[in-house]
Amino acid sequence: MGIPSVNNKISRLLQVVVITITLFSCGKNQGVSHAQSTNSLAPIQLKVGAGAINPVGYYDPAPSFSWKIPADSTATFQSAYQIQVASSLDSLKNKADLWDSHKVLTDSNAWINYQGTPLTSRQIVYWRVRYWDETNQQSDWSPINIFELGLLDNTQWQGEWIRHPDTGETITFKKGTSKEFSNTLYRPQYLRTQFSGKPNVQKARLYVTAKGVFKPYLNGQAIGNDTMTPGWTPYKQRIETLTYDVTDKILTGNNVLGAILAEGWYTGRILSPQKRDVPAPYFLAQLEISYDNGQTQVITSNKDWRATHNGPIQMAGNYDGEFYDQSKEMPGWAAANFDDSSWNTVITQTIDPKVELEPKRHAPVRNIKTLPAQQLVSQNDGAIIFDMGQNMVGVPKVNIPVIKGQKVQLRFSEALEHDKFYVKNLRSAKVTDYYLPSQTGMTEYQPTFTFHGYRYVEISGHDTSKTPSTSWIKAVVQHSDFDVYENFESSHPKLNQLQRNITWGLRSNFYDIPLDCPQRDERLGWTGDAQVFAAPSMYMADVYSFWSAWLKTVREEQADNGRVPNFIPTKQNKHTKGASSGWGDAVTVIPWELYQLTGDKRILVDNFEMMTKWLDYHKSQSKDYISNMQSFQDWLQPFPEGEGRAGRRGDTDKSLISTAYYARSVEYTAKTSKVLGKTELAQQLEQLHQQIKTAYRQAFYDNDLKVIKGSSTQTSYLLPLEFELFDSNEKEVAQKHLLNEFKESKHHLRTGFLGTPLLAPVLQKMGKSDLMFELLFKETYPSWFYSINNGATTTWERWNSYSLTEGYNSESMNSLNHYAYGAVAKWFYQGILGIKPLVPGFKKISVEPQFNTKLTSAKGHYQTPQGKISINWELKGTHITVDLTIPKNTQAELNLPTIKNLVIRQNNQPILFSDPIPKLLPGRYLITGESISL
Ligand code: RAM
């Protein structure tokens, strides 16, 4: 953002004049057409950027705008829109002083870029939109929406980072039996400052962040419902900041601003115990108050703050849990009239201009819901075990009888083994909370700076003379705050359970960044897991901003030579080495697939450079178009030829996988280049794609298309079929080989992380959805239902992570809450319900449900950028009924090649279509017919 030039100013002046004139005439028109405009209702669901609704502390001074035409509007399509943006409510109504798009002829209702006067930190921006329908009828204006910018750059921060002068403590870690080393463990600290407030506060905002994790307080009250803020970014490059509206919390007279600060990801350990040398946590705050009389007041974190580490939270770590000492409670510590004379003066650190302070890009982790305990499982030797009924992530909330001075211990486990508490799969993560009471009686406790992945809780050290009850404990479920749709249901209870399990896997691992697992000493943003699950997750929850925020982190972590680390963010002080095909390819696959599902070009613009750099890295790892990149390969494929660790990578040749992914990344980058108008590059990449394809065909298959390198596996055919690496005349032969692989495995899958997501799309394209149904409904190992038959309430890392009879798989790497195999959920929507975008962003939709006798019905819906598409199909014998609603401003192609006597009714009237693939306009349809394939 530069200073506007004189020319710019003049042109803006002219613009203002034009706007005024237009508005005047618009006003007149509005009056005249008022009766008409009530026919088509005002736009709804206004959003800025990747999905924010009226955000406070927004990060982007030039966001895009999106809206929807309401389902009950008389409009069918949009033919034009007008957006107005203003710096106040009054101006919005009189003269949009920031931007008026005027009437723009287009059917686009999403991702319209702001093109007005540059916006600045703190600015409150008002906006509204209206549209014209296909008959040029104008809608009413939408309700007025707001976004307020946060502090957009480091120069806006006036204070300093602060912390307690001495919070570190040396502890010794033992790794296995041989290695022993010391590290610093930082105690949580309590910070406070006092200030004097005046009457008539007009507006107050708290801008705040930490190197570490924090909870802010104002006048004794915790601010917000966020947890583990600011979340996890590459802290050496960028730290996110939070903004809170505290207007109604400022008192006249004495006020106290405070915070608790703990390690979090910043200084806490990442992975198993290791030597690390990380700086202590710091806190940064800026409270800005404006008064009605125009005066302003700014309270910042500075040398005048006081700090103690003698508060009740004595220890807190992501992996290890929390220690709470009730005797150290300090009633009123965050309010006025508290004696902090025993506290220390903080030390300060100036803000480093090289570390970007940026408003948080997506909603923070919050306490989303509370689950009651389902059952008291057992009571042995003073330890009681509760079953919360669901494997999930968050913290417990207990209300238990305790005895003064007797430490209560809470442990967590994903599943019991033969009724015994099992924690081995947590590896070095202690995942234990301690509560030391200073009074006897009932006490309430909920940890603040940790999170656990668990279903069972073991409580010991409580007052065992009292009869335990399930009312003693609740589970507080936490994840990044987004809507989970719960939008698929079928006639088959196990399929529904699978859908729920996958959704819980999503909830559990979308914890500020996409985690591989939430329980053991890992919990990392593994790129391969993300690569396969990003698109499926978009069908299940409102997670576009979650992914787009993480991609920013991925861009920051990419090495100069284009290498993409295997998990992101990487370790705080140590840059991980290496890259893996199928993992690093997340940087091309995720932006491209997000674009397909949203139609938002910005995701491509933002990530384009990263995509091309990754191609450079691919190139550096290949010779004659064959890639030798390292790879985790078809991770955790069942029945591998190797044993233990050696078997983890499966049997599909490494170089076959890496070359296939090289081709895929080139293909997606070529397509992206085309969308972005980079035609020349697109052509070069298309050529490169062809060269890789030819080399791949020659290097890995013989004339009969049999695999000549490594083993012949399902994945060795799934990859080239899905990535279209064989010429069309050879496809059929490859398909035969694939079917042969299934025959040999008695129609069981034999795929790991990379192969599994390809099963459904490949089989459906082959006209073999029946085989996909068979795999999906398989009850025996390896299969999805096998996990359900063994009590799973989430998806597992391994196809055989656990069994009711044998207990846990003894492999050290074994989580019961991993989302990778949940990627199959995409087929519930794209296959079983049959909803697929025909153009990026679903303005054209293909509706092609896959019917099978295993189901008598399936229903679901999806919120496209235009509105909700819903489908509900039922099967009685061979008779099929489909209830379908196409959202406004959308066209759909109904593709039911196996249905004869097709009748499509709208408002009870049959509609005639000559086309074998009828094109449907927005509206509700009742479709009937007879299946010829069932
Ligand atoms: C383990 C996890 C993770 C996977 C890597 C390769 O850490 O299984 O999900 O991506 O290995």
Side-chain angles (χ1 to χ4, degrees):
M1 268 186 285
I3 300 164
S5 68
V6 176
N7 270 347
N8 268 345
K9 271 189 193 155
I10 293 172
S11 74
R12 206 163 305 133
L13 266 176
L14 282 174
Q15 224 179 333
V16 171
V17 176
V18 175
I19 291 168
T20 321
I21 295 166
T22 330
L23 269 176
F24 180 64
S25 56
C26 265
K28 256 166 90 186
N29 278 341
Q30 222 176 350
V32 174
S33 63
H34 189 70
Q36 290 174 7
S37 70
T38 49
N39 286 331
S40 59
L41 300 174
I44 53 166
Q45 295 182 27
L46 275 64
K47 293 188 179 173
V48 290
I53 300 171
N54 294 322
V56 173
Y58 198 60
Y59 75 95
D60 186 357
S64 61
F65 300 106
S66 304
W67 60 91
K68 288 175 185 158
I69 302 176
D72 52 356
S73 159
T74 52
T76 307
F77 290 97
Q78 175 189 291
S79 62
Y81 70 77
Q82 181 180 14
I83 300 171
Q84 289 188 332
V85 185
S87 60
S88 70
L89 266 181
D90 277 355
S91 348
L92 190 64
K93 285 182 186 148
N94 300 316
K95 171 169 76 81
D97 59 343
L98 294 174
W99 185 47
D100 189 329
S101 73
H102 303 294
K103 184 171 176 179
V104 180
L105 298 181
T106 172
D107 62 355
S108 294
N109 61 297
W111 324 118
I112 307 299
N113 285 327
Y114 175 70
Q115 292 163 54
T117 313
L119 305 176
T120 54
S121 293
R122 304 175 186 79
Q123 193 160 353
I124 301 180
V125 182
Y126 301 80
W127 71 285
R128 62 181 179 177
V129 59
R130 63 179 167 185
Y131 61 87
W132 284 260
D133 71 8
E134 67 281 8
T135 64
N136 205 26
Q137 279 206 47
Q138 173 192 297
S139 80
D140 290 333
W141 283 108
S142 68
I144 292 168
N145 270 38
I146 297 177
F147 63 97
E148 176 179 332
L149 295 164
L151 299 186
L152 296 178
D153 57 70
N154 291 23
T155 61
Q156 304 297 321
W157 291 85
Q158 298 168 29
E160 289 184 295
W161 292 103
I162 57 168
R163 73 166 169 92
H164 189 286
D166 171 28
T167 53
E169 197 168 301
T170 302
I171 54 154
T172 301
F173 279 107
K174 278 196 188 126
K175 189 179 183 183
T177 44
S178 52
K179 280 191 210 156
E180 189 172 278
F181 46 81
S182 302
N183 266 324
T184 313
L185 181 77
Y186 294 103
R187 277 196 191 288
Q189 41 187 301
Y190 293 71
L191 300 149
R192 75 191 296 274
T193 194
Q194 198 150 323
F195 65 93
S196 174
K198 295 175 208 109
N200 305 322
V201 174
Q202 190 224 341
K203 175 182 140 195
R205 296 287 183 268
L206 175 63
Y207 303 100
V208 59
T209 190
K211 298 175 179 179
V213 285
F214 70 96
K215 193 144 205 58
Y217 285 78
L218 190 56
N219 296 322
Q221 270 180 0
I223 303 298
N225 177 30
D226 307 341
T227 187
M228 302 296 279
T229 41
W232 196 5
T233 51
Y235 299 117
K236 283 183 175 168
Q237 299 182 57
R238 180 174 54 99
I239 300 177
E240 291 191 318
T241 64
L242 281 295
T243 305
Y244 295 101
D245 178 354
V246 291
T247 310
D248 57 1
K249 302 213 160 46
I250 307 292
L251 307 175
T252 304
N254 283 341
N255 287 263
V256 169
L257 177 60
I260 319 177
L261 174 64
E263 287 196 324
W265 296 273
Y266 181 76
T267 50
R269 69 188 172 102
I270 304 292
L271 273 170
S272 44
Q274 65 208 246
K275 181 103 189 86
R276 69 204 159 94
D277 176 21
V278 276
Y282 277 91
F283 176 72
L284 182 69
Q286 183 157 309
L287 173 61
E288 299 186 1
I289 311 171
S290 332
Y291 294 96
D292 285 345
N293 63 6
Q295 282 185 350
T296 56
Q297 186 180 9
V298 182
I299 293 96
T300 63
S301 47
N302 60 23
K303 61 177 180 18
D304 299 332
W305 283 55
R306 312 280 292 163
T308 183
H309 52 68
N310 273 324
I313 304 177
Q314 279 291 295
M315 198 215 85
N318 295 4
Y319 294 164
D320 295 326
E322 194 172 279
F323 173 35
Y324 190 95
D325 183 346
Q326 193 188 14
S327 71
K328 293 189 185 300
E329 280 177 356
M330 309 172 291
W333 71 269
N337 304 321
F338 175 82
D339 178 11
D340 62 13
S341 58
S342 67
W343 289 31
N344 289 62
T345 301
V346 296
I347 57 170
T348 63
Q349 183 189 60
T350 49
I351 293 172
D352 182 346
K354 291 196 296 291
V355 180
E356 199 186 334
L357 296 170
E358 195 200 42
K360 193 159 182 66
R361 290 179 163 238
H362 67 305
V365 176
R366 297 200 171 107
N367 298 333
I368 303 291
K369 59 168 153 184
T370 305
L371 304 180
Q374 293 300 309
Q375 205 193 336
L376 175 67
V377 180
S378 65
Q379 196 175 1
N380 281 322
D381 305 329
I384 43 178
I385 299 175
F386 290 101
D387 178 3
M388 307 311 292
Q390 175 62 53
N391 198 19
M392 36 95 204
V393 168
V395 290
K397 186 181 176 129
V398 293
N399 185 13
I400 43 172
V402 294
I403 297 170
K404 179 180 173 177
Q406 182 175 305
K407 195 156 53 168
V408 175
Q409 177 182 279
L410 306 171
R411 294 200 303 155
F412 303 84
S413 166
E414 291 191 285
L416 304 180
E417 189 171 81
H418 308 304
D419 292 333
K420 294 240 161 51
F421 212 67
Y422 185 101
V423 290
K424 256 198 231 152
N425 71 327
L426 307 177
R427 302 196 305 215
S428 75
K430 295 195 179 68
V431 198
T432 308
D433 299 323
Y434 295 100
Y435 185 93
L436 182 58
S438 59
Q439 281 162 20
T440 299
M442 291 301 282
T443 198
E444 271 195 24
Y445 169 60
Q446 176 180 328
T448 309
F449 295 119
T450 188
F451 62 100
H452 312 312
Y454 68 102
R455 170 173 169 176
Y456 295 89
V457 187
E458 181 206 70
I459 304 182
S460 58
H462 59 288
D463 182 351
T464 50
S465 70
K466 302 283 186 293
T467 311
S469 139
T470 47
S471 67
W472 283 9
I473 181 162
K474 290 185 175 57
V476 179
V477 176
Q478 301 172 332
H479 56 76
S480 288
D481 195 359
F482 46 71
D483 279 351
V484 178
Y485 301 144
E486 293 178 346
N487 53 351
F488 175 84
E489 214 186 309
S490 75
S491 53
H492 199 285
K494 268 188 205 166
L495 185 60
N496 298 343
Q497 176 72 44
L498 177 60
Q499 157 72 10
R500 277 198 297 277
N501 290 5
I502 294 171
T503 310
W504 274 103
L506 188 162
R507 283 198 181 95
S508 309
N509 287 300
F510 281 44
Y511 203 93
D512 203 60
I513 63 144
L515 305 176
D516 65 326
C517 61
Q519 71 297 79
R520 66 177 180 231
D521 54 358
E522 192 157 350
R523 314 184 191 185
L524 301 172
W526 282 95
T527 50
D529 309 41
Q531 187 259 117
V532 300
F533 197 63
S537 72
M538 291 284 288
Y539 272 101
M540 292 182 278
D542 190 4
V543 286
Y544 182 37
S545 60
F546 177 86
W547 286 112
S548 107
W550 183 65
L551 282 174
K552 160 104 177 161
T553 288
V554 177
R555 296 198 288 278
E556 287 162 340
E557 294 280 25
Q558 186 176 34
D560 290 342
N561 65 354
R563 185 180 62 79
V564 175
N566 292 323
F567 56 82
I568 292 172
T570 57
K571 285 184 222 167
Q572 167 66 347
N573 266 359
K574 213 162 118 189
H575 259 284
T576 50
K577 296 198 187 78
S580 163
S581 64
W583 270 247
D585 295 285
V587 307
T588 54
V589 174
I590 298 178
W592 181 252
E593 293 191 342
L594 290 177
Y595 171 61
Q596 296 306 304
L597 296 173
T598 60
D600 183 10
K601 278 193 194 157
R602 198 180 282 201
I603 199 76
L604 299 182
V605 172
D606 287 351
N607 294 296
F608 178 69
E609 199 188 317
M610 169 163 76
M611 298 166 94
T612 55
K613 272 171 72 185
W614 173 243
L615 294 193
D616 292 343
Y617 186 74
H618 252 300
K619 194 170 170 209
S620 74
Q621 304 297 301
S622 65
K623 195 166 169 258
D624 300 331
Y625 310 107
I626 295 298
S627 173
N628 289 306
M629 193 187 291
Q630 279 309 314
S631 183
F632 294 105
Q633 297 169 238
D634 201 12
W635 192 242
L636 305 181
Q637 170 222 298
F639 301 117
E641 282 163 16
E643 299 263 302
R645 286 181 84 90
R648 287 181 183 175
R649 291 167 200 247
D651 303 323
T652 311
D653 181 67
K654 179 184 83 180
S655 162
L656 185 154
I657 292 178
S658 296
T659 308
Y661 267 98
Y662 185 17
R664 172 119 287 198
S665 276
V666 170
E667 178 203 338
Y668 282 173
T669 312
K671 288 181 166 158
T672 301
S673 309
K674 223 180 207 166
V675 174
L676 299 182
K678 300 171 195 293
T679 331
E680 212 175 300
L681 181 61
Q683 277 163 5
Q684 284 166 17
L685 291 176
E686 276 160 16
Q687 212 177 350
L688 174 60
H689 185 256
Q690 192 52 49
Q691 283 155 330
I692 299 169
K693 204 172 136 177
T694 310
Y696 174 88
R697 169 69 185 82
Q698 274 165 14
F700 302 112
Y701 304 86
D702 69 10
N703 283 344
D704 302 326
L705 236 55
K706 292 213 171 99
V707 175
I708 50 176
K709 203 152 178 253
S711 312
S712 179
T713 59
Q714 293 176 3
T715 299
S716 65
Y717 290 104
L718 290 166
L719 279 168
L721 283 169
E722 178 60 7
F723 296 1
E724 304 204 331
L725 299 176
F726 295 140
D727 286 340
S728 40
N729 58 345
E730 289 197 319
K731 248 189 211 164
E732 225 172 284
V733 184
Q735 292 174 347
K736 275 194 191 130
H737 288 310
L738 177 62
L739 293 179
N740 208 32
E741 292 293 335
F742 284 111
K743 218 162 140 199
E744 281 182 16
S745 65
K746 299 204 172 59
H747 288 180
H748 279 83
L749 57 81
R750 288 277 186 278
T751 50
F753 279 28
L754 296 184
T756 303
L758 311 182
L759 290 165
V762 168
L763 292 174
Q764 184 177 332
K765 265 183 246 159
M766 284 166 65
K768 284 279 168 199
S769 287
D770 53 339
L771 177 53
M772 187 57 213
F773 271 107
E774 198 177 337
L775 297 177
L776 190 58
F777 281 71
K778 188 102 332 172
E779 301 271 348
T780 44
Y781 171 74
S783 71
W784 288 277
F785 284 6
Y786 171 81
S787 70
I788 292 172
N789 294 340
N790 283 285
T793 59
T794 39
T795 30
W796 296 342
E797 182 171 22
R798 296 169 178 272
W799 291 112
N800 57 352
S801 280
Y802 183 86
S803 90
L804 289 171
T805 47
E806 311 263 309
Y808 279 81
N809 185 322
S810 59
E811 289 287 335
S812 64
M813 191 191 70
N814 183 26
S815 124
L816 300 193
N817 204 348
H818 241 70
Y819 55 56
Y821 291 142
V824 71
K826 189 163 133 196
W827 197 64
F828 302 171
Y829 303 93
Q830 293 203 338
I832 298 177
L833 299 178
I835 307 168
K836 248 191 239 173
L838 277 177
V839 297
F842 289 92
K843 271 177 95 56
K844 281 201 182 132
I845 306 181
S846 154
V847 180
E848 192 177 352
Q850 303 297 297
F851 307 114
N852 189 278
T853 46
K854 290 192 159 58
L855 292 177
T856 53
S857 69
K859 66 174 176 188
H861 54 86
Y862 181 63
Q863 274 290 353
T864 78
Q866 283 63 248
K868 195 197 250 184
I869 172 163
S870 47
I871 182 164
N872 182 353
W873 62 254
E874 272 180 39
L875 189 61
K876 281 199 185 106
T878 55
H879 185 73
I880 198 92
T881 322
V882 184
D883 186 348
L884 174 69
T885 303
I886 308 297
K888 300 285 179 187
N889 212 18
T890 302
Q891 274 174 289
E893 291 187 1
L894 185 65
N895 203 344
L896 299 174
T898 59
I899 306 296
K900 63 171 188 192
N901 301 341
L902 193 68
V903 180
I904 303 174
R905 286 189 181 79
Q906 203 171 18
N907 298 326
N908 271 329
Q909 297 300 316
I911 325 172
L912 288 181
F913 291 95
S914 50
D915 202 327
I917 301 180
K919 312 259 179 308
L920 305 182
L921 298 179
R924 186 166 174 194
Y925 299 89
L926 202 67
I927 301 150
T928 53
E930 297 298 322
S931 169
I932 49 170
S933 63
L934 298 176

